[in-house]
Amino acid sequence: MDVLLRGGPGDGQVVRGGGENVLWQACLYEITSEVAPRHGRDLRVYRHRPDCCEPQGRGSEDTCE
């Protein structure tokens, strides 16, 4: 299934994924209840989680792993 990413470096990207989370490059996106039209289809929206992006300092104290 294709999903739409919102926020962060992947904003506006349509990627294949599903479930609770989607990983795009080094960033985590979480499912929302939103649906948005894109390319003639309604896609589930996944929001960027800024504390889970490699440039934001992933490390031992990070809660994403």
Side-chain angles (χ1 to χ4, degrees), residues 10-60:
D11 189 46
Q13 296 289 322
V14 175
V15 299
R16 288 199 95 42
E20 295 295 313
N21 301 297
V22 169
L23 187 63
W24 182 81
Q25 293 189 358
C27 295
L28 187 66
Y29 288 78
E30 293 180 321
I31 194 169
T32 69
S33 59
E34 298 174 60
V35 175
R38 186 69 158 215
H39 305 294
R41 306 179 283 165
D42 288 334
L43 301 177
R44 174 69 65 191
V45 174
Y46 280 68
R47 286 257 174 232
H48 179 242
R49 198 169 144 193
D51 62 325
C52 294
C53 206
E54 194 167 294
Q56 299 292 327
R58 285 182 64 123
S60 60

